[in-house]
């Protein structure tokens, strides 16, 4: 028997495959494709204290092996989520992690308080490149990462995962700041800030001009960052960024991730998380490993 | 649902416009006019995303769907190169589609490749006129002619029908109870105004760039008025068909 379960800073996942925030809505859309109880966990769309309409369209541009998005945190607000979306997610036997974003530290704290222990974990989104105020601004300096993590952690009744932005000079320094602030786990990476221009109209394709790059194009950057962070901190890591198949997922685990999140790949292949889960299990069996822990960070240098 | 569909035919109708017939009996069973298919053209990561293409005809007897598409970029160009007998990865039917009212006098108004989803409407309705606009090359006119009561054509270069825009050849919009339209934004905006002036109910199919196509990623926003307020709705699941009066084109 293979042990597929992993512990993410106190959140027990039956397997290491999650779905990434913003790419999986609140689960409903994908529930017609497979049983969501088979997932290790679901990280829901980024929530804010008040509902947000998000940015003007176009909000997506395709680039080689990737996409740029500038959704701008469109969401129905944390209270609507608790009343109308969470009961649906709770019908499934899978961990539910709330991704939260705000423009002040207080907003994050209020949200953490409202969520209480209704969810299995909270993912602190201090890395969204698509909103003017707050968002990524909190995620780019070690000092502010430490501060916000510490303050939210005080309000948090469930494990706190801090999601890191790759748009920084030294990811290790940021990871250490989150750890010192009290993070129970880290997830990385969020999208890389990018831009695409229509040469005929001479306008940016995104109405917001810039957006976050995701998909296979960012995978090598994400693997490198997971590897660097895994060496700098000793808390669990959820790795993501361009994971499209089980081989990609294994690469992240070898780099030091405890679990993986599938994002953009859901748009291309709704069954991607299930295929990845099956592939990881087969890899362990075929290579005679008994658990995820045996391959975690197990690269030969 | 996601299916590998067999390509029964993939042929050029006129320069850069193709028709592809797909064998997909399960999709056919659930399809209605105005819905779309989300197509992964090849297995590679480039182009990465699926491409949304409207259902143009539903052949319930043979279990086939036909789509009509224009080559405008990498994805559609690769699609044009696919051969009969090959398989293609399709999710569908997606979107809300048009609701048809058999007993009401109707018109379809289409511009360019926007005429594609109107074909199934005229095939299903018994009392429907068509107004079609093209830049230069025309396509699918025979099918419209045989399924419509009246067929009116405009071309920008004047090579067929009246010279100019399709909105200029609609003489008497108020004789219709319902109008169904699809085409460029400027055309849809004009039709919205025409129908509003004469109090004619009008449904339009909107295009927006998509990610997932099933309502999960929120990239396909369309501004919809609700009373004095507005919201972004999702073209992929709330649409692609909206009532013209609720769509805010001004933004
Ligand atoms: C609901 C819906 C129905 C459609 N029905 C048809 C149809 O029946 N026939 C047809 O020819 N075209 C249709 N389109 C437009 C079609 O999706 C685009 O022409 C196609 O995606 C272009 O892909 P490309 O790789 O050739 O072009 P590229 O410009 O290389 O595409 C780059 C990216 O932009 C997106 N994109 C580009 N143009 C459009 C557009 N107009 N709408 C949405 N996304 C776009 C592509 O999907 C891709 O992600 C429809 C679009 C929508 C939203
Ligand atoms: C359309 C879209 C919306 C996203 N929304 C959020 C969000 O609300 N909160 C967040 O923390 N990350 C968000 N992300 C980032 C993803 O969760 C993920 O970190 C990133 O896309 C990299 O993974 P991928 O390459 O597998 O998509 C979003 C990504 C996409 C593509
Ligand atoms: S394309 Fe993802 S929500 Fe519409």
């Amino acid at each position: 028997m293979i042990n597929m379960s992993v512990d993410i800073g106190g959140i027990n996942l039956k397997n290491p495959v999650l779905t990434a925030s913003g790419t999986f809505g609140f689960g409903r859309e994908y529930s017609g494709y497979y049983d969501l109880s088979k997932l290790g966990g679901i990280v829901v769309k980024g929530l804010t204290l008040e509902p947000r309409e998000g940015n003007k369209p176009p909000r997506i541009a395709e680039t080689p092996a990737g996409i740029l998005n500038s959704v701008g945190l469109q969401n129905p607000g944390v209270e609507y989520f608790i009343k109308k979306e969470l009961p649906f997610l709770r019908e499934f036997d899978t961990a539910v992690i709330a991704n939260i974003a705000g423009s002040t530290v207080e907003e994050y704290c209020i949200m953490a308080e409202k969520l209480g222990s209704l969810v299995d974990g909270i993912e602190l989104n201090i890395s969204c490149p698509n909103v003017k105020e707050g968002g990524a601004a909190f995620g780019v300096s070690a000092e502010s990462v430490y501060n916000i993590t510490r303050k939210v952690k005080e309000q948090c009744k469930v494990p706190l995962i801090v999601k890191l932005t790759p748009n920084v000079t030294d990811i290790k320094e940021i990871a250490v700041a989150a750890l010192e602030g009290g993070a129970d786990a880290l997830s990385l990476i969020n999208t890389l800030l990018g831009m695409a221009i229509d040469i005929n109209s001479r306008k940016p394709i995104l109405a917001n001009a810039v957006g976050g790059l995701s998909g296979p194009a960012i995978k090598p950057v994400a693997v490198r960052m997971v590897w660097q962070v895994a060496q700098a901190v000793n808390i669990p890591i959820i790795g993501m960024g361009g994971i499209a198949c089980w081989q990609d997922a294994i690469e992240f685990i070898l780099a030091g991730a405890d679990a993986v999140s599938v994002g953009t790949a859901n748009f291309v292949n709704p069954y991607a998380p299930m295929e990845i889960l099956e592939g990881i299990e087969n890899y362990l069996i075929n290579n005679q490993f008994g658990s995820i822990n045996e391959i975690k960070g197990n690269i030969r240098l | 649902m996601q299916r590998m569909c067999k390509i029964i035919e993939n042929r050029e109708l006129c320069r850069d416009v193709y028709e592809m017939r797909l064998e997909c009996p399960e999709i056919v069973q659930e399809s209605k006019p105005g819905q779309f298919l989300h197509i992964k053209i090849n297995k590679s990561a480039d182009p990465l995303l699926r491409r949304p293409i409207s259902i143009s005809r539903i052949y319930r007897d043979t279990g086939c769907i036909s789509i009509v598409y224009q080559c405008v970029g990498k994805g559609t160009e690769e699609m044009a190169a696919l051969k009969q007998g090959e398989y293609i990865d399709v999710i569908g039917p997606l979107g809300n589609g048009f609701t048809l009212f058999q007993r009401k006098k109707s018109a379809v108004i289409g511009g360019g490749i926007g005429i594609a989803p109107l074909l199934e409407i005229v095939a299903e309705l018994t009392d429907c006129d068509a107004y079609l606009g093209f830049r230069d090359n025309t396509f699918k006119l025979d099918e419209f002619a045989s399924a419509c009561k009246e067929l009116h054509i405009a071309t920008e270069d004047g090579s067929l029908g009246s010279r100019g825009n399709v909105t200029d050849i609609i003489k008497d919009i108020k004789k219709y109870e319902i109008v169904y339209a699809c085409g460029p934004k400027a055309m849809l905006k004009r039709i919205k105004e025409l129908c509003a002036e004469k109090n004619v109910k009008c449904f339009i199919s909107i295009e927006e760039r998509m990610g997932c196509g099933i309502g999960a990623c929120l990239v396909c926003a369309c501004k919809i008025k609700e009373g004095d307020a507005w919201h972004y709705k999702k073209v992929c699941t709330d649409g692609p068909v909206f009532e013209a009066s609720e769509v805010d084109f001004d933004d």
Side-chain angles (χ1 to χ4, degrees):
Chain A
M1 246 315 255
I2 297 283
N3 179 8
M4 290 289 279
S5 72
V6 292
D7 182 90
I8 300 296
I11 311 170
N12 194 269
L13 306 182
K14 67 169 87 164
N15 69 61
V17 179
L18 301 107
T19 53
S21 177
T23 64
F24 208 71
F26 298 110
R28 288 180 198 276
E29 292 79 12
Y30 289 93
S31 64
Y33 290 87
Y34 56 87
D35 179 4
L36 301 184
S37 296
K38 292 186 174 152
L39 286 168
I42 294 171
V43 187
V44 305
K45 173 68 197 165
L47 300 168
T48 50
L49 195 51
E50 301 296 330
R52 278 180 66 106
E53 284 293 343
N55 292 330
K56 268 194 200 179
R59 295 175 172 183
I60 186 170
E62 194 184 54
T63 56
I67 60 173
L68 290 165
N69 91 81
S70 59
V71 172
L73 284 175
Q74 181 179 339
N75 82 96
V78 69
E79 279 175 16
Y80 182 96
F81 165 75
I82 292 170
K83 285 204 191 81
K84 305 283 179 172
E85 301 290 354
L86 191 56
F88 171 79
L89 284 165
R90 282 305 186 199
E91 289 171 23
F92 301 93
D93 176 23
T94 187
V96 175
I97 295 167
N99 179 283
I100 62 169
S103 37
T104 61
V105 175
E106 289 66 43
E107 280 181 22
Y108 282 92
C109 291
I110 299 170
M111 277 189 276
E113 210 183 323
K114 282 188 194 287
L115 287 160
S117 40
L118 296 170
V119 289
D120 299 296
I122 288 179
E123 184 178 70
L124 202 60
N125 178 5
I126 45 169
S127 50
C128 181
N130 290 324
V131 285
K132 286 202 180 62
E133 72 289 359
F138 289 109
V140 293
S141 96
E143 192 191 336
S144 67
V145 170
Y146 170 79
N147 277 331
I148 192 169
T149 307
R150 194 172 53 81
K151 296 236 170 72
V152 178
K153 177 67 188 168
E154 281 170 14
Q155 303 302 325
C156 225
K157 296 198 175 60
V158 289
L160 180 65
I161 305 163
V162 176
K163 184 164 180 178
L164 307 184
T165 170
N167 303 311
V168 294
T169 318
D170 182 1
I171 191 93
K172 297 191 299 281
E173 179 196 64
I174 305 287
V176 169
L179 169 74
E180 287 172 350
D184 297 296
L186 299 175
S187 66
L188 62 151
I189 60 175
N190 207 317
T191 53
L192 280 151
L193 197 58
M195 184 172 183
I197 299 167
D198 180 331
I199 60 163
N200 295 314
S201 65
R202 284 184 279 121
K203 285 184 182 165
I205 294 179
L206 299 173
N208 191 47
V210 297
L213 183 64
S214 65
I218 71 169
K219 198 190 75 175
V221 177
V223 171
R224 182 265 294 176
M225 289 190 159
V226 165
W227 181 65
Q228 288 181 324
V229 168
Q231 289 174 316
V233 302
N234 58 357
I235 48 176
I237 295 172
I238 304 172
M240 75 198 80
I243 298 177
C245 59
W246 65 266
Q247 290 91 335
D248 296 340
I250 298 288
E251 211 178 323
F252 275 83
I253 298 170
L254 289 172
D258 297 80
V260 292
S261 246
V262 182
T264 302
N266 290 301
F267 306 163
V268 183
N269 173 13
Y271 299 102
M274 290 299 104
E275 291 170 10
I276 288 165
L277 178 58
E278 201 181 308
I280 296 174
E281 198 162 358
N282 288 334
Y283 176 86
L284 293 177
I285 295 171
N286 294 339
N287 292 286
Q288 289 158 10
F289 291 112
S291 72
I292 300 289
N293 270 334
E294 289 176 39
I295 58 164
K296 183 199 157 181
N298 192 357
I299 47 170
R300 301 181 176 136
L301 281 172
Chain B
M1 70 178 93
Q2 187 227 358
R3 290 280 179 275
M4 294 304 293
C5 300
K6 188 173 179 180
I7 299 170
I8 303 297
E9 188 178 35
N10 190 21
R11 68 188 175 103
E12 191 168 22
L13 297 176
C14 66
R15 191 162 46 81
D16 288 340
V17 176
Y18 287 73
E19 174 172 26
M20 182 184 279
R21 201 146 45 89
L22 296 166
E23 190 177 71
C24 46
E26 295 113 317
I27 295 177
V28 163
Q29 278 194 358
E30 294 178 12
S31 296
K32 60 186 236 181
Q35 289 189 296
F36 68 95
L37 304 179
H38 214 20
I39 301 177
K40 179 75 179 118
I41 290 150
N42 61 23
K43 283 195 159 62
S44 96
D46 190 28
L48 180 65
L49 294 171
R50 291 174 178 271
R51 296 293 189 261
I53 304 284
S54 300
I55 292 173
S56 179
R57 286 300 314 275
I58 307 166
Y59 300 103
R60 304 206 184 265
D61 48 344
T62 54
C64 289
I65 277 177
S66 119
I67 55 176
V68 177
Y69 61 95
Q70 188 167 24
C71 293
V72 295
K74 189 159 182 167
T76 44
E77 268 153 27
E78 285 196 20
M79 209 154 106
L82 293 172
K83 298 273 176 310
Q84 180 186 337
E86 290 185 271
Y87 283 77
I88 188 164
D89 178 349
V90 174
I91 294 182
L94 297 175
N96 57 357
F98 290 106
T99 301
L100 303 188
F101 297 88
Q102 258 325 329
R103 272 169 238 281
K104 305 205 173 190
K105 175 104 187 119
S106 310
V108 296
I109 307 174
I113 198 67
I115 72 164
L118 306 179
L119 267 171
E120 183 61 23
I121 300 181
V122 298
E124 292 187 20
L125 286 181
T126 43
D127 185 6
C128 188
D129 297 342
Y131 297 83
L132 308 178
F134 301 91
R135 185 166 300 152
D136 39 33
N137 291 321
T138 58
F139 50 94
K140 286 286 175 187
L141 295 184
D142 293 352
E143 257 183 83
F144 275 101
S146 63
C148 292
K149 284 225 160 135
E150 291 173 22
L151 174 58
H152 305 268
I153 295 163
T155 49
E156 279 175 32
D157 67 351
S159 57
L160 195 76
S162 317
R163 179 193 292 269
N165 291 323
V166 66
T167 44
D168 301 331
I169 58 170
I170 308 167
K171 292 285 171 283
D172 187 15
I173 194 95
K174 61 180 184 300
K175 73 178 178 190
Y176 302 106
E177 289 170 273
I178 306 221
V179 163
Y180 305 95
C182 183
K185 264 205 178 116
M187 179 200 106
L188 294 178
K189 189 175 170 190
R190 182 75 193 113
I191 293 169
K192 171 186 163 165
E193 291 161 2
L194 286 174
C195 289
E197 277 165 27
K198 305 289 182 210
N199 236 333
V200 177
K201 211 167 185 57
C202 175
F203 294 95
I204 56 179
S205 178
I206 301 272
E207 285 184 9
E208 191 47 74
R209 285 166 186 258
M210 290 186 179
C212 67
I214 63 172
C217 71
L218 307 180
V219 303
C220 60
C222 173
K223 200 168 183 178
I224 297 293
K225 278 184 286 212
E226 272 173 4
D228 287 338
W230 63 270
H231 295 288
Y232 281 129
K233 287 204 170 175
K234 298 182 256 191
V235 172
C236 67
T237 48
D238 299 321
V241 177
F242 293 97
E243 213 176 313
S245 57
E246 59 178 13
V247 177
D248 187 345
F249 285 107
D250 299 331
D251 205 35

